[in-house]
Amino acid sequence: MSSGSQEKAKLPSYRTHIHYPFYFGGSSSGLAACVTHPLDLVKVRLQTAGKNGNRSMVGMFLHVLRSDGFLGLYSGISASLLRQRMPKELLSQFCADAKVVTYSTTRFGVYEELKEVFTTAKSSPSFPSLIAMASASGLMGGIAGNPADVLNVRMQNDAALPKAEQRNYKNAIDGLIRMTREEGVKSLFRGVWPSSARAVLMTSSQLASYDGFKRLLLENTPLTDTLTTHFTASFLAGFVATTICSPVDVIKTRIMSNKEAKTLPRLLADIYASEGISWTFRGWVPSFIRLGPHTIFTFLFLEQHKKIYRHLHGAPETEQ
């Protein structure tokens, strides 16, 4: 095979672009969440421990196992999955004949739609353009997924609270109903701006960097559009996303789990006064250990979704 033919086989062609279903991102993230939820729970417990939280990641993991059992590692899984994608059987609980989408479905779906709009027969979007698209998608996803995100944080942190302060939500639906009834609709959007800011940073540093790393690997290494390329690009994207999002992630978690409604400046002042600058990257290691695998599994599942879809529609094997 000539070098020109090899290059054609290696790099994606934009002439036969495939329009993938909007929900692929949410489905992939939901599957990934099932794998990584215990790590997410440990991360939240470490971040909300404050200055008295002297346990390591392993120590917190063992503490949860001893105090709550194995199932305790999956506390809040219904909200975590709700945040990724909402099962069809739950839609009637929210609004009749309405399609409800949340965080990952929204951000992945909007991002892919924007990429399709700006992809032509001869070119693909530049990396700065991908960052802009991902930022807009992340903002929309952050707002859409905030209610489930608040629930996810509360349910995960509930067992760490004194008995008198525990909320004891039965599941995501019970949590949404009780929050609305006891605290008002406004409570569903507590921390929405830090959460949305994190979603913008997460989506731009995760989705855009994945596409950027993947493109670099395909253009500058012997790698082709295979699992090895997907794994490498997603691992690097997870590292970038964790580092960029860590400070905002801590702030968001503190706001959502705090019973007292504090303004952002006051919260930052209180955290800095009691913990110093070290709070910025509190829980970075468990965040990376959780987000790294979650990013990898999400993109591996997403690429397989696309591969199967292309196969069913008789399209070329490589992503178009």
Side-chain angles (χ1 to χ4, degrees):
M1 183 183 288
S2 67
S3 60
S5 299
Q6 290 176 340
E7 189 69 15
K8 269 189 177 180
K10 181 179 176 180
L11 296 176
S13 166
Y14 299 99
R15 295 184 180 276
T16 54
H17 188 69
I18 301 295
H19 182 271
Y20 298 106
F22 190 87
Y23 62 84
F24 269 13
S27 176
S28 301
S29 292
L31 291 171
C34 292
V35 179
T36 62
H37 186 80
L39 293 173
D40 194 24
L41 181 138
V42 170
K43 178 202 71 172
V44 169
R45 293 287 180 87
L46 284 172
Q47 289 178 340
T48 55
K51 64 179 180 180
N52 297 320
N54 297 320
R55 290 192 177 90
S56 64
M57 181 193 67
V58 175
M60 181 64 76
F61 187 89
L62 294 175
H63 172 71
V64 174
L65 272 179
R66 284 195 297 266
S67 60
D68 304 322
F70 177 77
L71 292 180
L73 294 172
Y74 283 88
S75 176
I77 185 64
S78 59
S80 182
L81 289 174
L82 176 66
R83 184 170 180 266
Q84 307 301 336
R85 61 185 179 88
M86 190 170 294
K88 291 182 179 178
E89 63 269 25
L90 299 182
L91 294 181
S92 59
Q93 303 293 329
F94 293 86
C95 49
D97 302 320
K99 183 177 181 181
V100 181
V101 291
T102 50
Y103 178 63
S104 284
T105 303
T106 302
R107 70 188 186 111
F108 271 94
V110 173
Y111 179 69
E112 292 294 333
E113 291 290 331
L114 289 174
K115 277 204 306 182
E116 181 183 356
V117 170
F118 291 98
T119 297
T120 68
K122 296 182 179 180
S123 66
S124 61
S126 65
F127 186 64
S129 297
L130 291 176
I131 293 176
M133 295 175 197
S135 298
S137 306
L139 178 62
M140 296 175 67
I143 295 172
N146 198 78
D149 205 7
V150 175
L151 277 173
N152 193 26
V153 169
R154 287 187 174 191
M155 292 175 73
Q156 287 177 345
N157 192 49
D158 209 36
L161 297 173
K163 288 285 185 182
E165 297 181 17
Q166 291 180 4
R167 299 178 177 91
N168 296 314
Y169 297 143
K170 297 177 182 177
N171 49 53
I173 304 304
D174 178 60
L176 285 175
I177 294 173
R178 283 183 52 193
M179 282 177 62
T180 304
R181 181 187 303 144
E182 297 169 10
E183 304 173 51
V185 175
K186 187 177 179 180
S187 66
L188 299 177
F189 293 94
R190 171 176 286 190
V192 65
W193 297 122
S195 181
S196 296
R198 178 189 180 276
V200 169
L201 293 174
M202 173 63 72
T203 307
S204 58
S205 61
Q206 189 181 50
L207 274 63
S209 67
Y210 173 78
D211 282 338
F213 283 128
K214 182 179 175 183
R215 185 180 298 175
L216 285 174
L217 291 170
L218 292 175
E219 293 177 351
N220 300 288
T221 72
L223 295 174
T224 57
D225 194 12
T226 61
L227 281 175
T228 301
T229 302
H230 305 158
F231 177 88
T232 305
S234 59
F235 177 85
L236 294 171
F239 184 89
V240 171
T242 303
T243 303
I244 291 177
C245 295
S246 184
V248 180
D249 198 21
V250 175
I251 294 171
K252 181 205 72 171
T253 301
R254 295 290 181 89
I255 290 176
M256 290 181 175
S257 61
N258 203 324
K259 280 185 171 292
E260 182 183 353
K262 295 182 179 181
T263 62
L264 181 57
R266 182 186 169 191
L267 178 67
L268 290 175
D270 290 347
I271 296 175
Y272 182 78
S274 61
E275 301 173 46
I277 197 64
S278 63
W279 70 268
T280 308
F281 291 99
R282 177 177 289 275
W284 187 95
V285 172
S287 288
F288 176 70
I289 292 176
R290 179 260 172 188
L291 184 59
H294 186 273
T295 301
I296 291 170
F297 281 111
T298 295
F299 283 113
L300 290 182
F301 283 130
L302 180 61
E303 295 284 4
Q304 291 306 304
H305 277 48
K306 292 180 176 180
K307 182 177 180 180
I308 294 171
Y309 189 83
R310 290 195 299 271
H311 176 74
L312 293 175
H313 289 77
E317 285 295 312
T318 55
E319 183 180 2
Q320 305 302 308

